[in-house]
Amino acid sequence: MTDNRPSINLNNHTEVESTLAALADAKTIAAEKGDESQANQLWRDIQALKIVSTYVTAINNIKQQKYRDAWCELEQCEITCNFLSENSSKEFYKNSGADFVEKYVRKWQSLYPYCVFASPAMVVGYYTCSICNHKIRPRSRCQHIKGRIYNGELCTHQAHDLEIREISIVTNPVQKYSVVHNDETLDFSLLEYLCSHICSPFDEWEAHWTTKMFPKDRFHSVSEDYKCPCQSGNNFGQCCSDKVEIEIPHIDFVFKNGLNENAEVERFPY
Ligand SMILES: [Zn+2]
Ligand SMILES: [Zn+2]
């Protein structure tokens, strides 16, 4: 966002919504006047504001343990970031905060325990161009390119006569909305831990995935037929129970602004 624009309190939903509405009105006027470059710039401003405000909402939802809502909002940020990065300068992308959000959306997603998703296989009858409504066929295309902006509008190909043929369960889906998990059975402690240590959604942090050795007597309460603490999925008795030390997956969080509590806090799974 440029410097002459008033700053917006991203936690104030009404303020964000009214700013988005004002930008949309200005975009309509610019488009009607045929001022394509102004209309396109307003489109970029709208997307950038949607990205940062949706990101703030997502992090607030994580704080309130609404993990599934936040997951969908992070996904929304990711999609909007893709469209914006295709249609803006690197400088705008960075200065608007979209660059930060893109990077941190990936980091937050990596801390989720979700790993399987439903992916529908669809058969599409035909597509039309969202800009000119042209029915797209192999030998008949319009001049608009999917994912580009024209006079303040994003060109998408709209699918018609959709038919879902099958739903498959996948681990690396194109879109991540359809999580196949019951959240109540999952462990969100990484998200909870991280949230309790950051003050603002724009605090910078790093997560380093490593392993750490722990002496076996730390696990004396784990019975032989219980899952091994090394998280191999095998029973303790058939896995690490004879070892002197047990290697456990571990994450070190590094906070750029330091911890707001005791820096020695270490979380242990048992
Ligand atoms: Zn077209
Ligand atoms: Zn083990």
Side-chain angles (χ1 to χ4, degrees):
M1 273 168 262
T2 47
D3 295 325
N4 56 5
R5 203 155 304 127
S7 76
I8 298 151
N9 176 2
L10 293 169
N11 283 307
N12 185 334
H13 190 69
T14 320
E15 201 175 321
V16 170
E17 287 303 314
S18 66
T19 309
L20 284 172
L23 288 168
D25 287 346
K27 181 169 78 85
T28 306
I29 293 167
E32 280 168 3
K33 278 198 303 199
D35 187 346
E36 177 154 26
S37 96
Q38 176 69 2
N40 287 351
Q41 186 49 45
L42 285 158
W43 179 89
R44 287 181 201 105
D45 291 337
I46 291 169
Q47 306 315 310
L49 179 52
K50 280 184 181 167
I51 288 166
V52 289
S53 62
T54 307
Y55 178 70
V56 168
T57 307
I59 305 310
N60 287 338
N61 276 332
I62 293 175
K63 282 197 172 169
Q64 291 168 47
Q65 306 192 334
K66 294 182 194 160
Y67 300 117
R68 186 68 64 101
D69 289 350
W71 176 262
C72 294
E73 284 144 6
L74 292 173
E75 165 82 346
Q76 196 55 57
C77 288
E78 187 185 333
I79 293 167
T80 314
C81 279
N82 284 338
F83 288 136
L84 182 60
S85 75
E86 287 294 308
N87 288 286
S88 71
S89 65
K90 277 212 165 65
E91 197 193 358
F92 178 86
Y93 196 68
K94 190 165 187 289
N95 294 342
S96 67
D99 192 42
F100 176 94
V101 172
E102 182 195 319
K103 192 167 129 205
Y104 276 81
V105 160
R106 236 179 285 129
K107 290 189 183 190
W108 285 99
Q109 285 169 336
S110 76
L111 302 177
Y112 266 80
Y114 299 153
C115 54
V116 284
F117 307 87
S119 173
M122 309 234 238
V123 179
V124 176
Y126 64 99
Y127 291 98
T128 52
C129 168
S130 65
I131 304 292
C132 69
N133 229 1
H134 182 83
K135 190 169 167 179
I136 295 150
R137 295 179 214 90
R139 284 172 181 279
S140 166
R141 297 184 157 269
C142 59
Q143 80 271 32
H144 304 112
I145 298 163
K146 192 170 114 184
R148 293 271 176 84
I149 43 171
Y150 297 92
N151 211 13
E153 297 295 333
L154 182 74
C155 174
T156 57
H157 283 180
Q158 316 212 294
H160 302 269
D161 296 345
L162 274 174
E163 217 181 291
I164 296 181
R165 283 289 161 85
E166 57 180 24
I167 307 260
S168 20
I169 303 299
V170 297
T171 53
N172 192 10
V174 180
Q175 46 92 12
K176 308 189 185 82
Y177 288 117
S178 42
V179 177
V180 190
H181 289 288
N182 173 1
D183 282 8
E184 277 161 31
T185 65
L186 296 174
D187 176 11
F188 291 94
S189 56
L190 287 175
L191 293 170
E192 205 180 310
Y193 173 79
L194 180 58
C195 258
S196 67
H197 285 88
I198 60 167
C199 303
S200 142
F202 296 99
D203 279 357
E204 294 181 59
W205 52 271
E206 297 285 346
H208 300 290
W209 299 76
T210 57
T211 59
K212 221 171 175 178
M213 305 301 285
F214 289 97
K216 203 190 87 182
D217 49 349
R218 295 280 289 266
F219 305 97
H220 59 81
S221 63
V222 180
S223 87
E224 296 269 308
D225 54 5
Y226 196 75
K227 293 263 178 274
C228 185
C230 80
Q231 296 182 18
S232 65
N234 300 324
N235 286 351
F236 191 35
Q238 287 127 37
C239 195
C240 299
S241 67
D242 292 337
K243 293 182 185 164
V244 182
E245 287 190 312
I246 300 177
E247 192 172 4
I248 290 186
H250 177 87
I251 293 187
D252 284 324
F253 285 110
V254 180
F255 300 93
K256 200 174 175 189
N257 300 323
L259 280 176
N260 55 7
E261 290 174 20
N262 177 9
E264 297 299 307
V265 178
E266 184 185 277
R267 293 259 303 198
F268 193 71
Y270 291 90

